[in-house]
């Protein structure tokens, strides 16, 4: 930047501190993750760092990862989306119902025969994801048109979407989904070669989660969409003054969060072959805390996809290692909670150091 | 009209006459008139509630006047939004730093006007960060705004540096005129000095600057002309080379309005 | 993990925590199987017990039974895990991690009859035999099932309630989450049996989502719409707790008879205070004990259990019989301090495969 360092410039202020703190703390979150991995690897004579186990962690975290990525966009705009867990459930239920509906007559389905499943499964998956987008649009419309706090809106739709899912199912787990969604799609190993050992399974949910995570990072870093997302969260009034259509953008951001939750919903069918309305009920808080661990500020304007990925994997890795070590479940909660507080504390320290002038 | 300045051959960039604006029972602007010529710095001063901000808001499209005419770049105009005013070449720097503190200078200067890549990537919204960066560097160099590193988020910069970016943004996009509403209100002495220098730099590029300030020394230091508002009326116009701060204060408070007129200030 | 964890009340948890930190060091320095009773055996077997949900007196009691049996056998250690809440997406990562710790066998209370099939299959494919306790899966891949005969327990509840209300009036079920095999079977058995009483009208079933507050709200609402309600059957711990609370809030204690499934401390208190009239106690300690016995036999002999289904009983508990030691031993526990192994054997409770249809 030699050209901006014009010597006659009327800059009388001291140079602010460099951004080392910021870099350090992003690295610090990664360090926490690495520390967890190293500790468990040293502690376990067995298999924490085995391909099979890391593979498990990746698969088990794929749903939470998607929710975290989606909600990261919302939180960067200084909003919150509490309804993602219910969107996930509703999307899974819609996808399951549609698959059952289209895969054969009720008699055929009851007899575990699914003549039209080749058509029914893609339609079900598409409508499941679409359900997520529609739910997100509903959130976005309520936030922007009624000018209500996103916390209240999504707290309300958290109940509404779950209630709709319960109405659709009568509160039961949706059974009778074509097993092909699980056996031939969800659990299909796309990497059958023994390069990484027999325990390595590359299943579609992992690939989908990976591709969408990369796409989200590109969107946030390199496009106008990402730029506006940060700008709105940083200073909404300023964004309005420069002519950004803030409401329209927020609508898209909530729809995006819904989309990610919808895709996560289809993972339920792919992995478990069922859509259960009783599950996932605390995933919203898990995703939000993962984003926060990853350095996303609840006050908006700050956050990265890379951070959120690390944030999603820290609690998952910690729990996995603690279970393998045989540590009782209650202590796992303590450990995850401590890491959450620690990560956010460091983040705050860094921010105040950075903004000190 | 206002004081006829000898040798001013050009047309005014902006000329408004008999602007009225009511807020309910409050008559915020009473037949306010103002003209701005290229390459001058006009200070708008007045007590709280005198109508300075209201006038600027009318001129920048934030508010619509109840009556009055507005001639801009030789044409009669009526802005229905700040976007329209901006499209016409009018930019505004706000007192409360209308920047996104979590973004860097490049992103702030191009905020809402991002340059995208050519071709398909551009249609998908991919940003041309290299080009925006180069143009930002040029602009900051031209205005002699010095910030430590272009890629740093503004939250890490000083208030003066941030205001420098805000002014640079306004100047970059203002083809005709820049308004500044209390640009130094939140700043310390050294930083204020930097912004005043910046105002001169802008004037030297030929673009007129209209700025609101409460700080009389600042006003007298940088303005070519001082327009005094009181209770929604333009009550005096002062030449900082001949008038004193006392004259300005008296005009603002109305205590010796008659005398102020007598001293060569002309009521608009 | 080779340290023998005795059922020593709170001490056991402390031991585990310390073990969590120092375990590896100890094991490395002194060699596996060095400490505890297991040292006398040629080989120790690690059984991982994955509970349906942690912190539930039912599963705690089952854990006591399992650990007491493990101590008695001498060459078994039990490691207990479980999800905080009921949910296949929470239990699956735990199961996966447990499999990675390479236990010799797993006993699990699956959170979903369908959803847990694939994860359990993956565990079995990884070479770890799996036995289902309490709940089950719609499959035959598991080594065996040990559970309460829930249909029969539902019938027992129906007969108990009918007697308490003089065989007439309206009755109602507060169930937990739909799709759980055990509670659905209790509900089924109850409805089948209650239909045999001509003067008793069955007025429906609601789901509490395993939340006592929701159950209380449901019962309060039901008492508003059907003020003549004579009896309520709560199909599990939280549903029954909530039902009792709802009756209490509506001031109908005594007028509405509540059958509470399970016999945790709160339900015992409800029974003593009159909010609940009958408790149906399962025998979770026996389930844990038999499961460990079956796994031990399989691990030492290599012969899979035959038959594959074992059903333990249910005991009716009332104010009158609660102090009888033979009944009191079935009350659920908060810790294992005073747990006594029962003399029940797998053969006594072996059931023909078709005895308990899955829901």
């Amino acid at each position: 930047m030699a050209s901006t360092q014009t010597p006659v410039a009327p800059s009388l202020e001291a140079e602010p501190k460099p951004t080392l703190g910021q870099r350090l703390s992003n690295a610090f979150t990664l360090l926490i993750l690495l520390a967890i991995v190293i500790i468990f690897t040293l502690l376990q004579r067995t298999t924490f760092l085995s391909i099979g186990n890391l593979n498990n962690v990746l698969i088990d975290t794929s749903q939470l990862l998607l929710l975290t990525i989606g909600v990261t966009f919302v939180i960067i705009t200084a909003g919150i989306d509490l309804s993602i867990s219910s969107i996930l459930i509703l999307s899974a239920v819609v996808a399951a119902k549609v698959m059952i509906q289209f895969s054969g007559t009720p008699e055929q389905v009851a007899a575990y025969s699914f003549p039209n499943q080749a058509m029914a499964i893609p339609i079900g998956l598409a409508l499941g994801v679409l359900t997520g987008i529609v739910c997100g649009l509903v959130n976005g419309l309520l936030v922007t048109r009624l000018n209500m706090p996103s916390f209240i809106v999504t707290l309300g739709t958290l109940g509404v979407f779950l209630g709709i899912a319960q109405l659709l199912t009568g509160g039961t787990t949706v059974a009778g989904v074509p097993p092909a969604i699980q056996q031939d799609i969800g659990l299909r190993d796309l990497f059958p070669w023994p390069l990484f050992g027999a325990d390595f399974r590359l299943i579609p949910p992992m690939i989908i989660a990976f591709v969408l995570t990369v796409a989200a990072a590109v969107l946030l870093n390199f496009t106008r969409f990402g730029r506006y997302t940060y700008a709105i969260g940083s200073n909404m009034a300023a964004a309005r003054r420069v002519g950004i259509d803030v409401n329209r953008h927020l609508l898209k951001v909530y729809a995006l969060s819904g989309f990610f939750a919808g895709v996560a919903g289809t993972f339920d069918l792919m992995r478990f072959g069922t859509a259960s309305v009783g599950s996932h009920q605390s995933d919203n808080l898990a995703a939000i805390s993962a984003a926060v661990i990853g350095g996303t500020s609840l006050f908006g304007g700050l956050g990265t996809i890379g951070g959120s990925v690390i944030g999603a994997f820290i609690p998952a890795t910690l729990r996995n290692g603690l279970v393998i070590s045989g540590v009782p479940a209650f202590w796992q909660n303590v450990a995850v909670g401590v890491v959450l507080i620690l990560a956010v504390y460091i983040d705050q320290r860094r921010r105040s150091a950075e903004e000190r002038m | 009209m206002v004081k006829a300045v000898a040798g001013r051959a050009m047309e005014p960039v902006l000329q408004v006459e008999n602007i009225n604006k009511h807020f309910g029972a409050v008559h915020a602007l009473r037949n306010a008139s103002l003209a701005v010529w290229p390459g001058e710095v006009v200070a708008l001063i007045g007590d709280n509630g005198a109508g300075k901000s209201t006038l600027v808001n009318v001129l920048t499209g934030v508010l619509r006047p109840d009556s009055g005419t507005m001639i801009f770049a030789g044409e009669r105009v009526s802005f229905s939004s700040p976007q329209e005013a901006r499209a016409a070449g009018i930019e505004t720097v706000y007192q409360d730093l209308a920047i996104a503190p979590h973004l860097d200078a490049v992103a702030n200067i191009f905020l809402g006007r991002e340059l995208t890549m050519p071709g398909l990537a551009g249609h998908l919204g991919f940003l041309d960060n290299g080009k925006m960066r180069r143009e930002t560097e040029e602009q900051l160099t031209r205005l002699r705004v010095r910030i430590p590193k272009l890629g740093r988020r503004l939250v890490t910069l000083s208030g003066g540096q941030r205001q420098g970016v805000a002014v640079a943004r306004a100047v970059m996009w203002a083809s005709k005129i820049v308004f500044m509403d209390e640009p130094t209100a939140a700043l310390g002495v050294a930083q204020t000095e930097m912004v005043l220098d910046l105002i001169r730099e802008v004037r030297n590029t030929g673009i007129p600057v209209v700025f609101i300030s409460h700080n009389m020394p600042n006003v007298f230091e940088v303005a070519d002309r001082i327009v005094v508002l009181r209770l929604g009326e333009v009550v005096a116009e002062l030449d900082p080379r001949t008038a004193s701060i006392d004259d300005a204060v008296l005009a603002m408070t109305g205590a010796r309005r008659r005398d102020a007129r007598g001293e060569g200030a002309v009521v608009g | 993990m080779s340290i023998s964890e005795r059922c020593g009340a709170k001490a056991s948890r402390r031991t585990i925590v310390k073990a969590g930190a120092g375990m590896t060091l100890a094991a490395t320095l002194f060699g596996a199987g060095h400490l505890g009773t297991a040292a006398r055996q040629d080989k120790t077997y690690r059984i991982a017990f994955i509970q349906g949900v942690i912190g539930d007196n039912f599963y705690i009691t089952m854990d006591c039974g399992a650990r007491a049996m493990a101590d008695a056998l001498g060459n078994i250690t039990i490691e207990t895990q479980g999800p905080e809440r009921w949910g296949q997406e929470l239990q699956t990562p735990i199961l996966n991690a447990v499999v990675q710790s390479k236990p010799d066998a797993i006993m699990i209370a699956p959170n979903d009859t369908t959803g847990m099939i694939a994860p359990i299959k993956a565990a079995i494919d990884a070479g770890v035999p799996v036995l289902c306790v309490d709940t089950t899966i719609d499959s035959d891949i598991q080594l065996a099932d040990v559970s309460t005969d829930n249909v029969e327990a539902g019938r027992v509840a129906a007969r108990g309630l009918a007697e308490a209300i003089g065989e007439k009036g309206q009755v109602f079920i507060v169930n937990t989450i739909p799709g759980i095999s055990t509670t659905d079977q209790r509900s089924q058995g109850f409805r089948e049996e209650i239909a045999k009483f001509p003067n008793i009208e069955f007025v429906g079933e609601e789901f509490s989502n395993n939340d006592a507050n929701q159950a209380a709200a449901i019962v309060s609402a039901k008492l508003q719409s059907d003020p003549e309600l004579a009896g309520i059957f709560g199909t599990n711990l939280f549903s029954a707790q909530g039902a009792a609370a709802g009756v209490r809030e509506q001031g109908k204690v005594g007028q509405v008879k509540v059958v509470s499934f399970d016999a945790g401390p709160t339900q015992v208190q409800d029974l003593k205070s009159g909010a609940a009239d009958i408790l149906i106690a399962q025998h979770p300690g026996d389930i844990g004990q038999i499961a460990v016995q079956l796994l031990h036999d399989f691990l030492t002999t290599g012969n899979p259990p035959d038959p594959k289904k074992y059903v333990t009983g249910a005991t009716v508990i009332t104010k009158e019989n609660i102090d009888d030691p033979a009944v009191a031993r079935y009350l659920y526990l908060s810790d294992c301090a005073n747990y006594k192994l029962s003399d029940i054997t797998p053969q006594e409770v072996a059931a023909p495969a078709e005895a308990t249809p899955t829901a």
Side-chain angles (χ1 to χ4, degrees):
Chain A
M1 259 358 75
S3 57
T4 57
Q5 300 285 345
T6 321
V8 291
S11 169
L12 302 176
E13 301 105 55
E15 295 272 301
K17 295 235 164 64
T19 51
L20 195 67
Q22 176 196 350
R23 296 215 189 101
L24 257 182
S25 111
N26 278 344
F28 198 92
T29 323
L30 190 60
L31 280 180
I32 292 178
L33 184 59
L34 285 177
I36 292 167
V37 170
I38 290 167
I39 289 170
F40 283 124
T41 308
L42 293 177
L43 213 65
Q44 288 306 311
R45 333 163 272 254
T46 49
T47 49
F48 175 76
L49 204 58
S50 69
I51 293 286
N53 190 46
L54 296 183
N55 200 222
N56 276 339
V57 174
L58 288 177
I59 293 171
D60 290 333
T61 314
S62 55
Q63 271 182 312
L64 178 64
L65 181 64
L66 287 184
L67 292 179
T68 305
I69 300 291
V71 85
T72 298
F73 280 87
V74 177
I75 298 176
I76 290 175
T77 67
I80 197 92
D81 189 349
L82 296 170
S83 70
I84 45 176
S85 47
S86 293
I87 295 178
L88 187 162
I89 295 165
L90 181 56
S91 298
V93 164
V94 168
K97 286 275 177 191
V98 168
M99 283 178 202
I100 294 168
Q101 184 70 36
F102 283 97
S103 57
T105 63
E107 295 76 30
Q108 288 169 323
V109 171
Y112 272 87
S113 157
F114 305 94
N116 302 323
Q117 63 180 14
M119 174 197 74
I121 288 174
I123 293 178
L125 292 177
L127 288 181
V129 174
L130 187 67
T131 302
I133 297 172
V134 170
C135 290
L137 285 172
V138 169
N139 283 334
L141 282 172
L142 291 173
V143 168
T144 57
R145 298 288 178 268
L146 304 187
N147 200 20
M148 283 173 68
S150 54
F151 182 88
I152 302 299
V153 166
T154 58
L155 191 61
T157 55
L158 172 72
V160 172
F161 298 148
L162 180 63
I164 293 172
Q166 289 167 328
L167 286 170
L168 286 174
T169 60
T172 60
T173 297
V174 184
V177 177
I181 177 68
Q182 189 184 16
Q183 286 155 15
D184 299 340
I185 299 174
L187 298 181
R188 164 166 291 192
D189 188 356
L190 298 173
F191 193 86
W193 307 284
L195 188 61
F196 301 115
D199 283 346
F200 182 77
R201 289 182 301 138
L202 192 64
I203 62 173
M206 291 167 73
I207 297 172
I208 295 169
F210 177 77
V211 168
L212 289 181
T213 301
V214 171
V218 170
L219 186 66
L220 193 57
N221 283 315
F222 299 113
T223 70
R224 186 187 277 143
F225 184 91
R227 181 68 49 91
Y228 287 1
T229 304
Y230 282 112
I232 289 170
S234 182
N235 186 343
M236 191 186 283
R240 284 217 164 89
R241 278 179 186 168
V242 299
I244 296 173
D245 191 340
V246 170
N247 283 353
R248 195 182 152 83
H249 189 80
L250 285 178
L251 194 61
K252 289 183 198 167
V253 167
Y254 284 92
L256 188 69
S257 178
F259 164 78
F260 275 97
V263 175
T266 63
F267 284 15
D268 253 19
L269 298 175
M270 295 192 203
R271 294 187 60 209
F272 301 116
T274 61
S276 162
V277 291
S279 54
H280 292 291
Q281 305 226 350
S282 60
D283 281 13
N284 50 358
L285 294 184
I288 290 166
S289 41
V292 169
I293 289 175
T296 308
S297 163
L298 289 173
F299 301 106
L302 282 176
T304 60
I305 298 301
S308 288
V309 171
I310 297 169
F313 277 103
I314 283 180
T317 313
L318 199 55
R319 279 191 195 279
N320 173 277
L322 292 170
V323 170
I324 293 180
S325 306
V327 175
F330 299 117
W331 283 101
Q332 296 167 21
N333 286 339
V334 173
V336 172
V338 166
V339 168
L340 171 74
I341 292 169
L342 189 71
V344 174
Y345 171 72
I346 291 164
D347 204 40
Q348 275 186 352
R349 282 285 301 273
R350 153 203 135 193
R351 214 159 289 162
S352 62
E354 196 185 29
E355 290 165 19
R356 200 177 337 121
M357 283 181 295
Chain B
M1 222 353 266
V2 208
K3 184 167 75 173
V5 178
R8 190 175 261 156
M10 289 170 280
E11 288 293 303
V13 174
L14 178 71
Q15 185 166 11
V16 290
E17 280 176 26
N18 299 321
I19 299 283
N20 281 282
K21 179 72 189 175
H22 292 82
F23 294 112
V26 179
H27 200 167
L29 288 177
R30 302 165 190 258
N31 294 320
S33 296
L34 178 72
V36 182
W37 276 269
E40 67 169 351
V41 177
V42 179
L44 275 181
I45 63 170
D47 209 352
N48 287 336
K52 306 179 301 281
S53 291
T54 307
L55 182 57
V56 168
N57 282 338
V58 166
L59 299 179
T60 56
V62 175
L63 294 173
R64 302 201 66 171
D66 299 334
S67 66
T69 60
M70 186 164 165
I71 293 167
F72 179 71
E75 282 177 38
R76 197 165 164 167
V77 292
S78 160
F79 299 128
S80 57
S81 73
Q83 282 81 0
E84 271 187 35
R86 258 205 312 277
I90 296 174
E91 285 290 323
T92 314
V93 178
Y94 296 93
Q95 169 184 3
D96 53 352
L97 300 171
I99 51 154
H102 300 89
L103 297 179
D104 63 16
V106 181
N108 267 287
I109 281 179
F110 282 89
L111 195 58
R113 296 177 172 110
E114 286 80 6
L115 304 180
T116 50
M117 309 271 266
L120 177 67
H123 283 289
L124 292 174
F126 280 87
L127 300 171
D128 192 342
N129 283 316
K131 192 171 180 196
M132 286 193 276
R133 193 184 176 89
R134 285 192 297 278
E135 292 192 12
T136 301
E137 268 181 46
E138 284 169 21
Q139 175 73 358
L140 294 179
T141 309
R142 193 162 64 94
L143 293 173
R144 305 186 184 196
V145 174
R146 192 180 153 196
I147 59 173
K149 194 160 180 278
L150 215 47
R152 284 183 55 172
R153 297 186 289 126
L154 296 193
V155 73
T156 67
L157 304 186
S158 71
Q161 289 168 332
R162 275 186 258 179
Q163 191 63 290
V165 172
V167 173
R169 172 170 72 189
V171 175
M172 179 136 175
W173 303 107
S175 52
K176 299 289 192 313
I177 188 166
V178 176
F179 288 92
M180 301 191 189
D181 189 351
E182 300 272 10
T184 60
L187 302 180
V189 174
Q191 298 173 343
T192 298
E193 204 53 47
M194 175 182 157
V195 171
L196 295 183
D197 281 336
L198 201 46
I199 289 174
R200 291 191 195 99
E201 292 288 342
V202 175
R203 177 189 55 196
N204 294 344
T205 66
I207 294 171
V209 176
V210 178
F211 85 106
I212 294 176
S213 181
H214 271 109
N215 185 320
M216 287 303 142
N218 285 352
V219 166
F220 276 77
E221 190 183 336
V222 78
D224 298 314
R225 222 149 41 89
I226 300 169
V227 173
V228 185
L229 279 119
R230 197 172 75 83
L231 299 173
E233 275 184 272
V234 175
V235 293
E237 188 179 314
L238 306 172
D239 183 339
R241 284 164 300 189
T242 56
S244 68
I245 289 183
D246 282 346
D247 296 332
V249 172
L250 292 173
M252 281 165 62
T253 55
R256 286 177 58 203
R257 183 175 169 187
R258 218 168 269 280
D259 292 345
R261 280 172 185 238
E263 281 166 19
V266 180
V267 177
Chain C
M1 197 196 300
S2 58
I3 297 166
S4 171
E5 288 149 17
R6 291 171 194 286
C7 297
K10 283 164 191 162
S12 81
R13 232 165 238 151
R14 249 182 275 132
T15 311
I16 297 169
V17 176
K18 270 198 223 155
M23 174 172 45
T24 312
L25 186 63
T28 317
L29 291 178
F30 304 115
H34 187 81
L35 304 165
T37 50
R40 286 187 297 274
Q41 301 288 330
D42 294 331
K43 175 157 173 45
T44 30
Y45 296 99
R46 288 170 51 234
I47 294 178
F49 173 27
I50 301 176
Q51 300 178 324
V53 64
I54 56 172
D56 183 322
N57 296 109
F58 177 82
Y59 289 115
I60 292 171
T61 310
M62 193 182 293
D63 196 39
C64 296
R67 284 170 188 272
M69 193 68 210
D71 272 5
L73 292 167
N75 60 344
I76 302 279
T77 60
I78 306 286
E79 291 168 16
T80 308
Q81 291 288 345
E84 284 171 77
R85 279 176 303 281
W86 199 268
Q88 59 198 17
E89 85 286 1
L90 298 174
Q91 198 180 37
T92 301
I94 293 170
L95 173 59
N96 286 343
V98 162
V99 170
Q100 288 299 325
S101 76
K102 306 236 183 286
D104 294 294
I106 291 173
M107 51 189 271
I108 183 171
N111 276 184
D112 192 278
T113 49
T114 315
M116 288 308 293
I117 296 174
I120 288 175
K121 184 169 184 305
I124 293 168
D125 289 347
V128 185
V130 177
L131 182 143
C132 293
V133 287
D134 182 34
T135 50
T136 185
I137 48 175
D138 266 335
S139 179
D140 56 0
I141 54 175
Q142 67 271 36
L143 207 55
D145 286 301
V146 185
S147 65
T148 306
D149 182 345
N150 280 292
V151 177
E152 180 55 31
R155 291 201 182 97
V156 170
R159 287 192 291 268
L161 183 58
E163 192 190 326
I165 63 175
E167 299 191 5
K168 64 175 173 11
Q170 296 176 329
V171 298
F172 175 64
I173 297 178
V174 181
N175 206 338
T176 175
I177 301 168
I180 298 173
S181 58
T182 51
T183 46
D184 285 351
Q185 287 161 12
R186 289 169 205 165
S187 166
Q188 176 199 341
F190 181 88
R191 279 181 289 181
E192 283 170 9
E193 191 70 15
I194 211 77
K196 294 176 184 167
F197 296 92
N199 295 326
I200 294 180
E201 184 195 356
F202 176 66
V203 295
E205 175 176 30
E206 296 272 359
F207 294 93
S208 70
N209 277 319
N210 209 27
D211 178 343
N213 287 320
Q214 274 194 44
I218 288 166
V219 166
S220 293
K222 196 72 187 172
L223 286 170
Q224 294 290 328
S225 64
D226 298 277
E228 298 309 309
L229 204 63
I232 300 172
F233 173 38
T235 63
N236 79 334
L237 194 76
F238 291 131
S239 302
Q241 268 179 13
V247 168
R248 213 165 27 227
E249 282 159 17
Q250 296 293 315
K252 303 264 187 176
V253 174
Q255 180 191 328
V256 180
K257 303 290 181 188
V258 176
V259 181
S260 205
F261 210 95
D262 291 322
T266 313
Q267 284 137 318
V268 170
Q269 199 187 333
D270 281 342
L271 184 72
K272 288 179 173 168
S273 72
D277 303 275
I278 298 161
L279 304 183
I280 308 295
Q282 304 181 69
H283 301 166
D286 291 354
I287 294 176
Q289 176 182 339
I290 288 165
V292 169
Q293 178 74 64
L294 289 171
L295 286 172
H296 169 268
D297 294 351
F298 172 68
L299 292 170
T300 50
T301 67
N303 299 324
D306 182 45
K308 291 184 71 171
K309 203 156 205 57
Y310 300 83
V311 290
T312 52
T315 301
V316 174
I317 300 179
T318 62
K319 234 178 194 169
E320 287 69 40
N321 71 6
I322 191 164
D323 294 322
D324 178 353
V327 170
R329 73 176 309 278
Y330 291 116
L331 300 178
Y332 301 174
L333 305 170
S334 297
D335 62 63
C336 303
N338 299 313
Y339 189 81
K340 296 276 187 307
L341 210 55
S342 103
D343 52 9
I344 198 164
T345 64
Q347 287 67 40
E348 289 172 47
V349 294
E354 67 280 5
T356 319
T358 47

